[in-house]
């Protein structure tokens, strides 16, 4: 389909064989640019299909070198922590909030899956901060600044296999409330089963831009596309606009074939000085990829 | 089976035909005794199968007179409120916290089901306080006092049709955190599918006593029994004991037949001065019933 998004020609930027361990799949990476260094924190599955968070670094945003080891998650009380995150850490996002680096991820343990929230300085060790809300929830991303004195989180609770994008606020990253739907799924459309962040919000004059994933169904199962949402700067619980349709669909070989065919899943976005947005996304739950769009086009996509 | 619990002989204490409207079912009532007045707030379904909260009052704890009208739920921002509670208010609990009356209930709206929390003075109007946590959650009850300066809530998130009893804390009843499992379901036993409050906790020297519901499965579907749990007085996130098995099972006609056969569901408990506990429970998702046990026997049941 026609798209405002251009795939990087040498996609995937990370393949399983690029990783320094028995890697089954590498995808859904959070992204940040610090000075001239690009950092990805990807979901890296081993051949047992256990997910780890793994960092890769680059000087140009496309040629990445993985760290020798997985990210370590630590908590003051590891016994309690592991009740909720012993099984895997997946789909990590890198959130820059007031110059600090927070990792949001899906924490899977024996009681289900929930949003995990940690902080890091070196992207090797993530210190536990909290598990916001309860189980049956994931795809958490933080806004880059406090709004009305509150930290703000987007997340996507699971409701009978579907889910909308919700928002919660917190004075301290530990206690969360004012939880409401910000972008509901809609029956019969491209976002009929699930819609959620996506990338951490990017501040623009027009509003908070969030590149989102959306899921509709077909005879083969779930079909994952990419879309965009614009939220009000002062009250991000108010949606200004959502792309009329998806802005990108699985079309490349590495998106249409792999562990889960027909999945694209954006998890990181870096706004460059020239207005280009590098979008990092997982393809087919198997590969890490990159595509670009202009910030103007992304904003415009939410307004039609 | 042998049980420490004695059914009231004239059960059910409320039948659908006792209610002053086209009542389909009346059950799962929260309970409180204020002075010499017993107050139940029951789940009352109309013939369209929409649930309302309805109050009934009594001077002896068994002969109840329903109010002429359903309880009204009000919020400062009714438009927002109704996104989450327009469809029904069900399984209300009456929680006395530091001499104030809070109603916890399952709020059902177009986005799913979540715990609703309101306050009341007259049991006719419930003013909205908050929706703790997110959707796919219900069976919230509050502890009668703050612990370590925090309000404390038990609740039961749904995980793929099952659920354990969780606990959360809040400084203000609006922002919730420190959310963890306090009583997990256990495979192969009477509480293999779900376990949750139940009645608001009763403070005893031995710990916080919670009369819980538990669900196991059989060929016909879910089977609901009653059990008991004792939580640590100072850290209610720590379970001291749980009844080895269920302490009551559906055996009476009104428990074995009705809208959902084989359900008993405790939602209210009143500790009398002589140590008798009146347990209010729904039967077969159809009738409101009462049974009694001694506080000593209930505590002892958690310790074997």
């Amino acid at each position: 389909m026609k798209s405002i998004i251009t795939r990087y020609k040498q996609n995937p930027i990370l393949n399983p064989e690029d990783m320094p361990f028995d890697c089954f799949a590498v995808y859904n990476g959070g992204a940040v640019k610090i000075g001239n260094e690009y950092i990805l924190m990807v979901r890296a599955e081993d051949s047992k299909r256990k997910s780890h968070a793994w960092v890769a670094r680059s000087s140009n945003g496309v040629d990445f070198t993985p760290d020798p080891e997985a990210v370590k998650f630590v908590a003051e009380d590891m016994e309690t922590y592991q009740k909720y995150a012993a099984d895997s850490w997946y789909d990590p996002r890198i959130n820059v909030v007031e110059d600090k680096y927070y990792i949001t991820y899906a924490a899977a343990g024996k009681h289900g899956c929930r949003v995990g929230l940690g902080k890091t300085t070196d992207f090797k060790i993530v210190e536990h901060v909290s598990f916001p809300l309860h189980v049956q929830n994931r795809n958490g991303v933080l806004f880059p600044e406090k709004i009305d004195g509150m930290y703000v989180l987007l997340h996507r609770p699971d409701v009978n296999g579907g889910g909308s994008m919700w928002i919660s606020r917190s004075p301290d990253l530990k206690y969360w409330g004012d939880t409401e739907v910000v972008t509901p799924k809609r029956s019969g459309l491209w976002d009929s089963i699930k819609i959620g962040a996506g990338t951490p919000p990017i501040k623009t004059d027009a509003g908070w831009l969030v590149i989102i994933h959306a899921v509709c169904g077909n005879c083969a199962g779930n079909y994952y596309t990419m879309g965009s949402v614009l939220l009000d700067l002062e009250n991000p619980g108010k949606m200004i606009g959502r792309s009329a349709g998806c802005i990108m669909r699985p079309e490349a070989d590495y998106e249409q074939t792999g562990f889960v065919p027909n999945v694209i899943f954006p998890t990181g976005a870096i706004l460059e000085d020239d207005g280009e947005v590098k979008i990092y996304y997982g393809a087919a739950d198997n590969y890490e990829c990159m595509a670009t769009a202009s910030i103007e086009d992304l904003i415009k996509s939410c307004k039609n």
Side-chain angles (χ1 to χ4, degrees), chain A:
Chain A
M1 59 175 251
K2 281 186 193 170
S3 175
I4 57 172
I5 298 175
T6 306
R7 286 170 181 81
Y8 175 59
K9 285 197 177 154
Q10 274 93 58
N11 268 345
I13 57 171
L14 283 174
N15 282 292
E17 51 264 41
D18 297 331
M19 303 300 287
F21 74 110
D22 64 329
C23 183
F24 178 92
V26 53
Y27 58 113
N28 297 1
V32 69
K33 186 179 182 183
I34 303 175
N36 291 319
E37 187 181 43
Y38 296 81
I39 296 177
L40 281 181
M41 188 182 290
V42 292
R43 172 177 183 171
E45 286 184 24
D46 62 31
S47 57
K48 295 189 296 290
R49 294 224 55 235
K50 180 163 174 158
S51 287
H52 311 267
W54 210 289
V55 162
R57 300 168 199 255
S58 167
S59 59
N60 65 3
V62 288
D63 299 306
F64 280 88
T65 304
D67 281 2
E69 290 183 350
V71 176
K72 284 191 181 67
F73 288 77
V74 299
E76 278 182 29
D77 176 357
M78 281 303 285
E79 192 183 342
T80 299
Y81 179 72
Q82 290 190 329
K83 281 188 194 170
Y84 307 103
D87 294 349
S88 61
W89 300 263
Y90 65 85
D91 301 350
R93 269 66 159 199
I94 301 173
N95 308 272
V96 187
V97 187
E98 295 176 342
D99 297 325
K100 291 185 181 158
Y101 303 111
Y102 294 95
I103 309 301
T104 44
Y105 59 99
K110 61 184 174 181
H111 299 297
C113 176
R114 60 196 303 200
V115 174
L117 169 58
K119 57 184 176 181
T120 189
T121 53
D122 60 6
F123 296 91
K124 293 176 181 172
I125 293 174
V126 175
E127 291 171 61
H128 182 59
V129 173
S130 70
F131 292 114
L133 304 150
H134 59 72
V135 282
Q136 292 292 86
N137 196 16
R138 53 185 192 259
N139 295 308
V141 299
L142 288 168
F143 284 68
E145 59 191 61
K146 288 189 195 172
I147 301 170
D148 275 340
M150 291 282 179
Y151 293 96
V152 186
L153 178 79
L154 298 173
H155 54 105
R156 199 202 71 200
D158 177 273
V159 179
N160 304 324
S164 296
M165 189 164 74
W166 291 63
I167 193 167
S168 293
R169 287 87 169 178
S170 171
D172 53 12
L173 295 173
K174 291 192 172 181
Y175 296 89
W176 295 87
D178 293 333
T179 300
E180 56 181 331
V181 172
V182 58
T183 306
K185 63 193 175 83
R186 301 174 297 182
S187 66
L189 294 175
W190 57 288
D191 47 7
S192 59
I193 296 178
K194 302 180 190 183
I195 185 164
T199 67
I202 296 172
K203 192 172 193 176
T204 78
D205 290 342
W208 295 105
L209 173 71
V210 186
I211 301 166
I212 54 90
H213 65 268
V215 181
C216 61
N218 63 23
C219 306
N222 283 346
Y223 190 88
Y224 281 75
T225 63
M226 201 182 294
S228 53
V229 161
L230 208 55
L231 308 178
D232 186 80
L233 282 181
E234 288 173 17
N235 174 16
K238 183 182 157 197
M239 182 170 63
I240 297 171
R242 132 165 60 181
S243 54
C246 59
I247 57 175
M248 182 173 162
R249 57 173 293 212
E251 289 181 333
D253 286 350
Y254 48 83
E255 296 162 354
Q256 294 184 318
T257 59
F259 183 60
V260 184
N262 284 333
V263 175
I264 52 174
F265 197 85
T267 41
I270 293 172
L271 174 60
E272 302 284 11
D273 290 340
D274 65 358
E276 179 195 74
V277 180
K278 288 189 170 67
I279 303 167
Y280 293 89
Y281 67 101
D285 282 15
N286 210 138
Y287 310 106
E288 182 65 19
C289 295
M290 199 278 282
T292 57
S294 77
I295 187 77
E296 292 78 12
D297 282 348
L298 287 168
I299 293 168
K300 210 187 297 173
S301 73
C302 303
K303 292 185 170 175
N304 58 14

